[in-house]
Amino acid sequence: MKKILVTGGTGFLGSHLCKKLLEMDNEVICMDNFYTGNKLNIGTLNKNPNFELVKYDITNPIDLDVDEIYNFACPASPVHYQFDPVKTLKTSVLGAINLLDLAKNTGAKILQASTSEVYGDPEVHPQTEIYRGNVNPIGIRACYDEGKRCAETLFFDYWRQYKVNIKVIRIFNTYGPNMNVNDGRVVSNFIVQALNNKDITVYGDGMQTRSFCYVDDLIDGIIKMMNSRDGFTGPVNLGNPSEFTILELAEKVIELTDSKSKIVYNPLPKDDPMQRKPDITIAKNELNWEPKINLEEGLKNTIEYFKGVI
Ligand code: NAD
Ligand code: UDP
């Protein structure tokens, strides 16, 4: 039985990851400061004797005995990561140092939840892992983008300098149950608005694109990456290459919820990337992974979840 630390374990992705790792007969320590996480997300897991919930902030040094670390602690919605940008940077940078030190001291394998945001507003489309990105280092998204870029740098320096066993994934827009009603990201916003028959808030003209991955597919890819061959560090893109405009997403959500909502157009936030789509050739070849759940099926599951919580 492996002892696994999941940071950010009460958040959207972390809670799914904890559940899956417990189902695979591991011992799971879920660490979270509850900044955007929600105890309800891990509700039933608490009954499992192999599960432990620890309230802790990863910007502080960590002393634990573990075999594997999944670092998912960091607010991921622009609304939340921009609320306290200095804290966001500390979480990405100090958090990475503290967890890499833990990995170095214990010999644990460590996986970093990086992001497609390292590509910024990409000029290369679709994005491959060798593309170095187009990030505004002084803009309002930089606390997240540059924090995650610096965390990647730290991972690769600990790997080169201290031989820490690292795995780095770059996650593209993922959605599904356990997203917070107030998360602020586009899929949950549109579904909650549609279910309440409120206006659907499209930012800009809605022609910007994203490629949406359903959470079950992503979790499968994450675990495959942790268990990938020795020496394969990544970074590897994990996401669904099917690309949609935000307007198409709004129309699909209205259709699937049978909502009376109208689409309204609000200003586009600064530095909002205009296009995003992963090239997943490396994930296919190295991990034998590709997403199986299409947008319609994933949205239906997510809509059912939100019907239950609002
Ligand atoms: P989320 O906001 O739901 O979860 C983040 C979790 O981290 C929350 O439980 C929060 O309380 C916790 N946290 C934040 N700061 C912390 C700190 N200093 N110490 C301890 N815990 C802290 O977001 P999510 O969508 O589940 O994202 C999880 C991870 O995956 C993040 O690192 C994010 O950057 C990455 N990611 C997610 C997506 C996506 O589409 N969901 C895309 C790219 C990357
Ligand atoms: N967006 C939108 N309406 C919303 C929330 C987001 O039109 O209510 C847009 C946002 O401007 C961006 C896209 O949807 O172009 C994805 O935004 P999200 O915050 O989900 O993720 P990210 O920008 O980090 O990819």
Side-chain angles (χ1 to χ4, degrees):
M1 192 181 247
K2 280 187 284 194
K3 201 169 176 182
I4 301 179
L5 172 65
V6 178
T7 72
T10 72
F12 162 48
L13 295 180
S15 59
H16 286 274
L17 191 55
C18 287
K19 182 164 177 278
K20 186 74 184 179
L21 292 169
L22 283 170
E23 283 167 8
M24 294 167 71
D25 279 337
N26 296 293
E27 205 177 319
V28 174
I29 302 170
C30 166
M31 181 177 280
D32 209 295
N33 69 351
F34 302 119
Y35 181 59
T36 50
N38 186 341
K39 271 189 199 167
L40 291 176
N41 282 344
I42 47 106
T44 53
L45 304 187
N46 249 332
K47 296 197 180 95
N48 189 322
N50 292 326
F51 181 79
E52 194 183 340
L53 176 62
V54 180
K55 185 177 180 205
Y56 196 78
D57 193 306
I58 63 157
T59 58
N60 300 301
I62 302 157
D63 186 13
L64 278 174
D65 192 17
V66 288
D67 302 305
E68 288 179 358
I69 303 165
Y70 289 84
N71 182 25
F72 278 68
C74 187
S77 163
V79 182
H80 296 295
Y81 70 64
Q82 287 167 21
F83 176 74
D84 186 348
V86 173
K87 177 70 189 187
T88 300
L89 267 166
K90 284 183 182 169
T91 294
S92 274
V93 178
L94 298 178
I97 291 171
N98 291 326
L99 289 158
L100 284 161
D101 279 339
L102 179 65
K104 179 174 158 243
N105 296 337
T106 57
K109 199 180 344 175
I110 180 166
L111 181 144
Q112 166 68 356
S114 191
T115 166
S116 53
E117 282 285 321
V118 300
Y119 303 122
D121 188 5
E123 292 154 325
V124 167
H125 196 71
Q127 291 79 53
T128 53
E129 290 85 347
I130 54 167
Y131 177 49
R132 292 181 187 178
N134 177 35
V135 173
N136 173 2
I138 57 169
I140 55 172
R141 293 175 85 98
C143 61
Y144 184 73
D145 301 6
E146 296 290 14
K148 288 284 184 177
R149 286 169 67 97
C150 181
E152 285 200 13
T153 306
L154 283 161
F155 268 68
F156 279 86
D157 280 333
Y158 270 71
W159 171 66
R160 277 185 289 262
Q161 198 171 336
Y162 303 120
K163 312 284 177 262
V164 169
N165 192 352
I166 63 156
K167 305 276 175 190
V168 176
I169 56 171
R170 293 181 178 156
I171 303 169
F172 284 64
N173 298 66
T174 301
Y175 67 98
N178 291 9
M179 290 187 94
N180 198 307
V181 174
N182 302 313
D183 181 275
R185 279 174 281 182
V186 70
V187 176
S188 49
N189 268 11
F190 285 1
I191 292 177
V192 172
Q193 290 163 346
L195 290 176
N196 289 323
N197 291 311
K198 296 256 172 66
D199 288 345
I200 305 278
T201 54
V202 167
Y203 302 159
D205 61 6
M207 286 299 118
Q208 70 273 36
T209 69
R210 293 294 186 274
S211 305
F212 298 102
C213 185
Y214 186 65
V215 61
D216 290 0
D217 279 334
L218 183 81
I219 297 295
D220 181 36
I222 293 169
I223 289 172
K224 282 189 163 171
M225 180 56 175
M226 181 61 107
N227 296 299
S228 61
R229 67 174 170 86
D230 276 352
F232 179 60
T233 57
V236 59
N237 289 337
L238 292 182
N240 191 322
S242 304
E243 186 181 10
F244 297 87
T245 67
I246 295 304
L247 194 56
E248 283 171 332
L249 176 73
E251 284 160 353
K252 191 123 222 85
V253 169
I254 291 174
E255 178 199 319
L256 294 176
T257 51
D258 204 13
S259 172
K260 296 184 183 60
S261 294
K262 298 271 171 299
I263 292 173
V264 297
Y265 294 88
N266 289 350
L268 188 68
K270 206 157 176 327
D271 291 340
D272 200 285
M274 288 317 293
Q275 54 181 359
R276 188 181 286 154
K277 170 184 164 128
D279 180 316
I280 58 165
T281 309
I282 294 182
K284 278 185 187 163
N285 292 343
E286 282 286 345
L287 310 177
N288 192 22
W289 176 86
E290 66 182 311
K292 298 185 178 72
I293 300 162
N294 67 28
L295 184 64
E296 181 151 332
E297 188 185 349
L299 283 178
K300 282 182 183 163
N301 294 346
T302 313
I303 289 165
E304 281 315 301
Y305 167 78
F306 278 110
K307 277 183 184 165
V309 294
I310 57 176

